[in-house]
Amino acid sequence: MHNDEPTLRDILDRESLVEEVGEAIATCTPPQVFGIHGDWGLGKTSFLHQVQWYLTGRCPQQSEEETGKAGQSAKGKHEKTVQAVWFDAWRYQHEDVPVVALLQEMRAQLSWGHQISGATARKLEISVRGALFSMEELTKKIGVQPSKFRDASREWEAKNLAVSLPSHTLREHLRQAIGQLLPKKKKNFPPPRLVVFIDDIDRCEPEVAYRLLEGLKIYLTLDNCVFILGMNQKAIEDAIDSQMKVTADNPKSRAAAYMEKLCQNVWQLPTIRDPGEVLRSLLEQTVESERVRTWIRNAVRGFSCLPPNPRRLKGLANLIGRLVPRLPSEPDLTDEAAIIEARMLVIVASIYQFHPELYVRWEADLDFYQRIFDRCNSDESNIPILQSLVLPKQRSETDTEPTPGDERESTYPDPTGTDVFWIQPLILKLGTEVTPEQFKPYLHGRAE
């Protein structure tokens, strides 16, 4: 079965976008903060792993088995000039100073990178050790309690740069320390840079997310660093709003301005254009029979009846994989009745997976399917749980000029909405060709 772990394999046709983002990272002029925006479940972490693989040819977060399946064609295009660090912000959200956790992770991963490089020359070894030690000391300085920060900063300045502001002092020393850990500048290549991938910042508590962003802005705007934020931009802006005092002079719209100042290049991950084809690919791991996979793919072909979200489709593929062994025999792909059976199976699986509150009512009362069908065919229902469903299509496809004031469901629902009843078009397609009784084997033969 599928799990929710990120993958280096591109089943969402994003190879060209990976290359576009990778080239922007490798050739831009630092300091830069880039953003990768997508709702939860759209594959942001997988996309960031694929960009890291494209840039460096390494992805320590992935298993050897997974990297072995990733292929070599888009591997390590800029390994001579890019060092990468991965930071999962969500795992460190209980740290007192989030940017210190980030710096500690940078230090640890840069140290590991030099260990595997086999660089043993005495001079280089001393330089690396010194740079890592310097980063450790700077991390301590940033992590000092606020009440002690001024005294610690003055002591540091007296020994080093005398009168610089604390943040300027720390930034300069960080820049120098990181510079010693990067590859040397090569002729005809862009300047070397450290690329830091920060994932799941939108899952952190608002205060933590805000403090991490502030730390980036204060300490890490360095001319040898590029930061990549994997995020739901709306969630981040909401977090900023919650931390900024909202007044007439400080409206909520300032959160967007804050993000624009910090992160001026944001790529939005596209939703899935053909969820049915993605489902077919996912079924390769959960359904052994190619005939059955084709049978299910044919059942939904031409219908926008599945959620365009990879994570949700993984769950559906897992469920179908549990249901398929209960089929009496492999389907006849030339039989029209078999297509109807496949559509019935997909309808039951979709409602089971995405609308369990409907499924339990349907399982208890077969005639509840008629209520579901009526809701799909009409904007009216006297059952609150059915009224709350967002239908993906207008009630009438032929009525191109509805009466003014006539309220219709949107033809273009929010693709990330969990209340969208995506399976509606398939239910309408079946229409009265099936009776509630025909669903009984699928309802009561499901996997527990």
Side-chain angles (χ1 to χ4, degrees):
M1 291 188 179
H2 295 283
N3 56 34
D4 196 38
E5 292 302 302
T7 178
L8 291 175
R9 287 168 288 172
D10 177 26
I11 65 170
L12 303 178
D13 195 25
R14 291 174 176 171
E15 182 179 355
S16 61
L17 187 58
V18 167
E19 181 179 354
E20 177 186 330
V21 174
E23 290 301 316
I25 292 169
T27 60
C28 69
T29 302
Q32 289 281 358
V33 180
F34 293 156
I36 304 298
H37 163 77
D39 199 65
W40 293 338
L42 280 185
K44 292 190 298 297
T45 303
S46 292
F47 183 83
L48 293 179
H49 280 195
Q50 290 160 21
V51 172
Q52 183 179 0
W53 181 256
Y54 176 87
L55 288 169
T56 68
R58 294 196 299 270
C59 190
Q61 305 81 250
Q62 292 284 349
S63 66
E64 290 186 11
E65 179 183 3
E66 187 67 23
T67 55
K69 295 176 181 177
Q72 304 295 316
S73 60
K75 174 186 176 182
K77 298 294 185 181
H78 296 277
E79 59 184 341
K80 295 184 184 298
T81 57
V82 171
Q83 287 260 76
V85 166
W86 183 271
F87 183 70
D88 191 340
W90 194 21
R91 296 179 185 273
Y92 296 91
Q93 68 168 325
H94 298 299
E95 298 289 336
D96 291 336
V97 186
V99 75
V100 169
L102 170 59
L103 284 167
Q104 289 172 338
E105 195 65 33
M106 289 165 61
R107 178 179 180 273
Q109 292 186 37
L110 285 169
S111 175
W112 176 86
H114 276 276
Q115 287 173 9
I116 67 166
S117 69
T120 57
R122 183 65 179 164
K123 184 177 181 180
L124 178 58
E125 184 178 353
I126 293 172
S127 176
V128 168
R129 288 179 182 273
L132 293 171
F133 178 76
S134 179
M135 284 192 68
E136 182 179 24
E137 291 298 306
L138 292 166
T139 298
K140 291 177 181 178
K141 295 294 182 185
I142 294 174
V144 169
Q145 294 277 338
S147 60
K148 300 178 182 178
F149 184 81
R150 185 177 294 105
D151 292 339
S153 298
R154 287 173 179 169
E155 178 186 350
W156 178 272
E157 290 166 6
K159 291 181 179 179
N160 295 277
L161 298 183
V163 296
S164 297
L165 294 173
S167 60
H168 292 173
T169 302
L170 294 168
R171 269 206 308 271
E172 177 58 23
H173 279 270
L174 280 170
R175 186 190 70 79
Q176 292 178 12
I178 291 171
Q180 294 180 65
L181 297 168
L182 292 174
K184 297 301 181 184
K185 175 73 171 71
K186 291 179 170 36
K187 186 177 180 180
N188 300 325
F189 283 90
R193 75 266 327 268
L194 176 65
V195 177
V196 182
F197 294 90
I198 301 179
D199 193 27
D200 280 343
I201 189 173
D202 52 348
R203 291 181 180 270
C204 295
E205 292 295 324
E207 181 182 359
V208 176
Y210 181 70
R211 283 193 282 122
L212 180 56
L213 293 175
E214 283 286 280
L216 288 181
K217 188 169 62 174
I218 294 171
Y219 299 112
L220 292 170
T221 51
L222 309 175
D223 64 5
N224 52 9
C225 288
V226 179
F227 290 85
I228 319 298
L229 306 181
M231 61 182 178
N232 179 317
Q233 191 169 348
K234 177 64 166 58
I236 293 298
E237 290 179 2
D238 287 345
I240 295 170
D241 277 339
S242 72
Q243 300 303 305
M244 299 175 74
K245 186 176 180 180
V246 178
T247 66
D249 297 327
N250 185 17
K252 293 186 71 174
S253 60
R254 287 191 63 185
Y258 179 101
M259 280 303 296
E260 287 174 359
K261 179 175 177 58
L262 179 69
C263 180
Q264 295 185 332
N265 287 281
V266 178
W267 282 266
Q268 296 194 28
L269 290 185
T271 54
I272 300 173
R273 295 180 181 178
D274 190 349
E277 186 58 29
V278 173
L279 178 63
R280 186 202 62 76
S281 296
L282 293 170
L283 288 175
E284 291 179 2
Q285 284 186 239
T286 63
V287 175
E288 183 177 355
S289 169
E290 172 64 27
R291 179 182 290 269
V292 173
R293 296 197 297 266
T294 302
W295 176 61
I296 293 171
R297 178 67 182 101
N298 290 344
V300 300
R301 193 181 300 276
F303 294 93
S304 298
C305 62
L306 299 173
N309 183 295
R311 180 177 293 152
R312 304 188 79 199
L313 290 175
K314 282 182 181 180
L316 184 61
N318 286 339
L319 176 58
I320 291 175
R322 303 196 326 251
L323 293 175
V324 161
R326 290 167 169 75
L327 294 172
S329 61
E330 288 207 349
D332 181 355
L333 300 182
T334 64
D335 184 4
E336 182 62 29
I339 293 297
I340 292 176
E341 290 292 322
R343 288 171 179 162
M344 292 170 62
L345 174 62
V346 173
I347 288 170
V348 172
S350 294
I351 294 178
Y352 179 97
Q353 184 71 21
F354 306 130
H355 304 280
E357 70 284 356
L358 297 184
Y359 183 86
V360 295
R361 289 165 172 78
W362 185 11
E363 185 184 34
D365 179 6
L366 291 176
D367 289 334
F368 190 73
Y369 177 76
Q370 186 61 48
R371 301 289 189 93
I372 296 174
F373 176 81
D374 291 342
R375 175 68 179 102
C376 290
N377 200 38
S378 169
D379 290 338
E380 299 178 1
S381 175
N382 59 1
I383 301 177
I385 200 169
L386 291 174
Q387 289 177 335
S388 66
L389 296 176
V390 175
L391 303 181
K393 286 193 173 184
Q394 293 182 354
R395 181 174 56 192
S396 171
E397 296 182 358
T398 59
D399 186 4
T400 57
E401 296 182 2
T403 304
D406 185 15
E407 294 184 2
R408 302 296 180 101
E409 298 289 350
S410 171
T411 307
Y412 306 102
D414 180 359
T416 66
T418 58
D419 56 350
V420 179
F421 198 57
W422 292 104
I423 202 65
Q424 180 214 23
L426 209 59
I427 292 176
L428 292 179
K429 174 62 178 177
L430 284 184
T432 57
E433 295 182 47
V434 297
T435 64
E437 189 71 21
Q438 288 176 263
F439 284 97
K440 187 173 182 179
Y442 298 99
L443 289 167
H444 297 286
R446 81 198 196 298
E448 296 294 342

